[in-house]
Amino acid sequence: MSTPSVDAHVRLDTHSTHPSAVTATLTGTKVHIPLVGLEAADWHVTADNILVLARIDHEEPYWAEKAAQQLAALGITVEITPRLQEAIDEEWTWANYPMPWCSRAEIREVSDAAQKIHDDIRHGRLLIHAHAQDAHTTVAVGTYLDTGKSVYLHGENHLRQIANTFDSPARALTAFEDMHSDTMRPGPAPMTDTERDTADARTSPSTPTTAPEPRSTGAATAPGHAPGPGAHEALFNSFIEDNGEWEKYRTWSDDASVANHESLTLRAEFDHEARGHDIAWTIASYHSPVGERTWHATATANTPTDMIETLLKSLDTDSAWTERSSAPLTERTLTTVTGPLTEFGWTQNINGHHINWPAPNGETGLRLDVAAAGARSGRARATWTVWGGNTAEQPTWTVEFSRHTPAAVLQDLTYNLAITHSARTTRRQKASHHGREALGAAAPAAPFPPAPGHVPTR
């Protein structure tokens, strides 16, 4: 028997200002039927016949599809816009998820449990007595008003879990104070950025958005000149297409994409919205899929694409897999990294705890922070910096590396830096003689010599 038709139409779309939130626009003479159903599923009314689904786990497209299926089963017409359908179909993963053994479905279950805790607190069903700071996360103790059960909560946002239960608030508070007396504070913790953004989405009307203009694909740019905004985007996509052992994921935010190596020990993250001096690329290497990070690199959005391409290619060689526990700075490391520069006549100078290898014309160079190289603790800062434009103190672009970055990876960058600078200098010299009377036949240019010990990666 066919499902009777209901005079109600539901249009589901992405929110115009909150990336993962979903809106529902209701029309028809029986709009109260989908309205009641959606409100029961924690959709929030923002205007007449307009609802928003906003969650701290950023799984709104998944739950919107579930809602669409349930409404359609009631005989309600449901329309899903193409951009929402794209969000529903697209696979994504959380960056640095602390439970990497979980499948995507299991991760969604953990997130949904955290969402239920968040909703219970928001709706007043779970009363939070106190909170505290435990290492890098927040813990709290509270009581469910309907059952009287007290709980110990650990974590924030989509990672919050019930870690323990108690028979009474008194026992829960006593145990909580024993564990967190130095950081314990009364009442709930301040809202996280995610909670604030989600709350704002529930009260912000969504307006139609126009399709973004396509980004320029750009071309590889010499050091010192900012590439077009789409050049890095095209490079990231081509890297994924050309290297089958790398797989692309999107994060919960549309602003960034992640490429994971099949070994799960190398990772490249690209920020699509980064501009100028913003960090656009973050490269990280790990001891094992669940091990600690061994080295990392970052690059600003205006870094020439040929430098980024060289860095990405170096990840596909043995260079990125070795020296993970080696000393951060040895004489051999220093010689390997700076060999291409000295081969092309670059000389070093010392400025405080920095050793610099600037290009002969000073427009680009390499900098070593000796203090960072020898640091054993405290906030990590860049040990090696490849820079271009202006000065080393105020560069136009930078690629920065941590202290344990393999020397061969750094050598690939310095080699590219040296030959690119040399080629550009040669072009300038030829241009300066353009139009002058030739005094003699020009001697053929000598080929660029390879750096000592350098083995090309391609």
Side-chain angles (χ1 to χ4, degrees), residues 283-302:
I283 311 295
S285 171
Y286 299 87
H287 268 297
S288 68
V290 294
E292 295 182 355
R293 189 171 67 179
T294 55
W295 64 271
H296 67 277
T298 61
T300 56
N302 45 15

Side-chain angles (χ1 to χ4, degrees), residues 174-196:
T174 300
F176 192 79
E177 186 172 6
D178 287 344
M179 289 186 289
H180 306 290
S181 57
D182 13 338
T183 61
M184 181 175 173
R185 297 290 184 272
M191 293 176 69
T192 65
D193 291 342
T194 297
E195 290 172 331
R196 268 192 296 270

Side-chain angles (χ1 to χ4, degrees), residues 233-243:
E233 184 108 21
L235 178 60
F236 180 82
N237 292 331
S238 63
F239 175 70
I240 299 298
E241 293 173 2
D242 297 341
N243 296 274

Side-chain angles (χ1 to χ4, degrees), residues 189-209:
M191 293 176 69
T192 65
D193 291 342
T194 297
E195 290 172 331
R196 268 192 296 270
D197 187 65
T198 304
D200 184 59
R202 286 193 296 267
T203 58
S204 301
S206 179
T207 56
T209 58

Side-chain angles (χ1 to χ4, degrees), residues 59-299:
E59 295 281 4
E60 293 95 333
Y62 171 82
W63 293 106
E65 183 181 33
K66 294 295 183 185
Q69 294 169 354
Q70 294 167 359
L71 293 172
L74 295 174
I76 297 170
T77 303
V78 181
E79 173 194 356
I80 298 177
T81 64
R83 57 186 176 185
L84 176 57
Q85 188 62 55
E86 182 180 358
I88 291 171
D89 296 338
E90 188 173 12
E91 287 296 324
W92 63 277
T93 184
W94 289 99
N96 301 320
Y97 193 75
M99 293 172 275
W101 56 86
C102 290
S103 66
R104 188 68 187 89
E106 290 169 337
I107 290 174
R108 188 175 285 122
E109 288 180 11
V110 173
S111 297
D112 191 41
Q115 181 68 43
K116 286 181 169 61
I117 296 172
H118 170 76
D119 292 338
D120 287 339
I121 296 173
R122 183 167 64 91
H123 292 304
R125 292 189 290 265
L126 175 55
L127 176 65
I128 301 299
H129 307 302
H131 70 278
Q133 197 68 22
D134 182 26
H136 300 295
T137 193
T138 301
V139 292
V141 61
T143 300
Y144 281 93
L145 300 182
D146 55 347
T147 64
K149 180 180 72 174
S150 295
V151 294
Y152 172 66
L153 304 176
H154 184 276
E156 299 173 348
N157 302 326
H158 64 290
L159 297 176
R160 184 187 280 152
Q161 297 178 340
I162 296 177
N164 204 353
T165 60
F166 301 88
D167 295 335
S168 69
R171 289 185 178 180
L173 277 166
T174 300
F176 192 79
E177 186 172 6
D178 287 344
M179 289 186 289
H180 306 290
S181 57
D182 13 338
T183 61
M184 181 175 173
R185 297 290 184 272
M191 293 176 69
T192 65
D193 291 342
T194 297
E195 290 172 331
R196 268 192 296 270
D197 187 65
T198 304
D200 184 59
R202 286 193 296 267
T203 58
S204 301
S206 179
T207 56
T209 58
T210 57
E213 294 183 4
R215 292 187 174 100
S216 167
T217 56
T221 312
H225 298 82
H232 286 207
E233 184 108 21
L235 178 60
F236 180 82
N237 292 331
S238 63
F239 175 70
I240 299 298
E241 293 173 2
D242 297 341
N243 296 274
E245 65 276 21
W246 289 81
E247 189 171 1
K248 177 182 176 182
Y249 295 88
R250 63 175 279 269
T251 63
W252 68 265
S253 170
D254 291 334
D255 294 347
S257 293
V258 173
N260 280 331
H261 190 268
E262 59 186 9
S263 67
L264 301 181
T265 59
L266 278 175
R267 179 187 186 90
E269 181 173 339
F270 173 61
D271 185 341
H272 302 273
E273 301 302 318
R275 296 291 184 270
H277 292 279
D278 298 338
I279 298 298
W281 296 85
T282 302
I283 311 295
S285 171
Y286 299 87
H287 268 297
S288 68
V290 294
E292 295 182 355
R293 189 171 67 179
T294 55
W295 64 271
H296 67 277
T298 61

Side-chain angles (χ1 to χ4, degrees), residues 15 31 45 50 67 154 166 257 273 357 404 416 448:
H15 198 287
V31 294
V45 177
I50 297 179
H154 184 276
F166 301 88
S257 293
E273 301 302 318
W357 288 265
H404 284 285
N416 181 65
F448 296 130

